[in-house]
Structures are given as structure tokens and as C-alpha cells.
Amino acid sequence: MSDTHTDVPSVLTAPLPIPVPLEEHRACPVTDVLRRAGDRWSVLIMILLGKRSYRFNELHRSIEGISQRMLTRTLRGLERDGLVSRTVHPSVPPTVEYDLTSLGRTFLGPLSTLADWAVLHDPDIAAARERHDAHSPH
Amino acid sequence: MSDTHTDVPSVLTAPLPIPVPLEEHRACPVTDVLRRAGDRWSVLIMILLGKRSYRFNELHRSIEGISQRMLTRTLRGLERDGLVSRTVHPSVPPTVEYDLTSLGRTFLGPLSTLADWAVLHDPDIAAARERHDAHSPH
DNA sequence: CTGCATCCTCAAAGATACTG
DNA sequence: CAGTATCTTTGAGGATGCAG
């Protein structure tokens, strides 16, 4: 009923210097996080690790279509950003356990908000695309 | 105080078929939205259009470093997804007005949630990166 | 003023094979 | 088991020129 005027105080509503300077959006924390979440595997991996911890090959088997290389690279990226922890158990053969860090777990909330929006409005987006593609000369 | 157990019912907490099938994440609405928001210009443009409507060259002047090509492409993408509207005023020379659609405005909420998280935890991420890069053999 | 067409560069992503 | 190394492909993004 009252969604004609959503007044959410946020960094997004803060005033911006116009023109927006290059450095303002070249190294923007928001874009930074969105680019990580926007890659092909990070979110899926974080969803799995949100349920329990996984070993490397266990993740590999759990995600159809991911290559070893991309799994490694994505895990390294998430680990570098402090979202995922990597624990080596010195056994023979070695086993490596991946988990969400506490920082990683705090990310699941905002991510859920966005994910729910995406699923809820997916039909709208699909419809808009069909309309647009129908009118475009292709 | 009570953030040790965040129980948010969401699509992210729903059970997943393991292994996650290819089609499940190849055309996933969530990834889809994240990839759009994760590109270099979409969010910035939506933030500007969230404040008021803009004409093409006005946007071009307002965002330092964006090329005409990328501005056009990004606007087309947002328009195709139904997030931004494009209105041509048949004057001489023609002026084109860009606005957020109502769908686009509903997106600002979830986006803000994520943006606020990003800004809040930016120091944590930066610290994690420094730690990681220091220990990595480069 | 508002674009589209063309050409170019570069990094992300994928395929495949090999290793401690 | 848990990766690394190498090669190839794809697409995002940028520079420039032309057009309605």
C-alpha cells in the first residue's frame, strides 16, 4: 500500500558529486562486492558452504559443470576476501576443508534479500525482455 | 546481540538438488540479476536515475570515464530488463529521456541492503586481502 | 543530440593434461 | 585428494568515425 515512496536511508541515497569521478566508481566497495557475487560460481559456492563445510572434490562433485580450475580460482578469490576459510588437514592423502567465515555468514542476509527480489520479479524481467526483443530489429 | 543464528527464510536456504544441475545455475534468476548489477556501469546509472530523470548526454557528462558505446549498451540492457524506461521526445534535435521504471525502483531496496553491507564491511575485506596477499607467494 | 558500426585489447572463463 | 600449468575461447569494455 505504501510502496509509492520507499525512503530507505542508505549509501545509495547519499548525495553524489556530479560528474561522478573516476576513482569514485573504479574502486567502489559496492561494485567490488557485486562483481564478486556476479561471477559464475561464487554465490553458488557460498550457498553450499552456508549449509555445511565441504572438501574440495566434494564441492567439485556437487556443482555440475564447474572445472577444477574455476573451482580453485573461485575459492581462492573468496578466501582472499575473507568470506571463505580454507583448512588443511595434514593427512595422507591431504584433505582440505572449506567453510564460510563469520564475515561470509553476514553476507548471506543481504544476498538473500537480493536473491528473493530476483526470484520474485523474474517473470517481470522475462516479460520485459520478450517485449523488447519483439520490437527490436534484432 | 542475536546475530549468531540468522534464520532468514529465503530462496537461498531452500534445499538444493546435489549435484546442482547445470540448468539450475546456467539460467538462474539470481545469478542473472547479480551479473547485471555486477557490470561496470548499471548500478551507477540506476543510482543517478533513482534521483531524477536524465537525458543521454546528461548521463554521459555525469559519469566520468564512460564511453558513449558503453552508456548506450548499458542503457539498452537495463531497458531490455524493464528496469529503465526510454522516452523519445520528437523535437529537433531529438531528446531522449531515461527514467527508472516502477520495477527498477523496487530494485533499489535490495540493492541498498547489499550496498550498505559492502560499505560496512569494506575494511574487513581490505584487511583480509592484505593478509592473504602477504602470505601468498605472489 | 543520440546514437550505431567497426576495430581493437584484455581479462574472465573453459578444456585438457599433468603433479605432490 | 587437491590442486597447478598451458592453451584456447569468449565477451566485456574502449576508441574512433559516421549517421539520422
Side-chain angles (χ1 to χ4, degrees), chain A residues 37-41 43-44 118, chain B residues 25-36:
Chain A
D39 74 10
R40 178 136 186 214
W41 307 109
V43 166
L44 184 50
Chain B
H25 55 78
R26 279 239 308 213
C28 170
V30 178
T31 301
D32 207 49
V33 168
L34 281 169
R35 291 185 84 95
R36 163 147 317 292

Side-chain angles (χ1 to χ4, degrees), chain B residues 75-93:
Chain B
L75 285 170
R76 286 297 169 279
L78 292 170
E79 187 197 359
R80 186 171 111 92
D81 285 359
L83 297 169
V84 160
S85 70
R86 176 178 180 272
T87 311
V88 181
H89 297 286
S91 52
V92 182

Side-chain angles (χ1 to χ4, degrees), chain A residues 38-41 65 67-70 73 94:
Chain A
D39 74 10
R40 178 136 186 214
W41 307 109
S67 65
Q68 272 193 344
R69 172 186 153 83
M70 285 317 295
R73 285 179 61 92

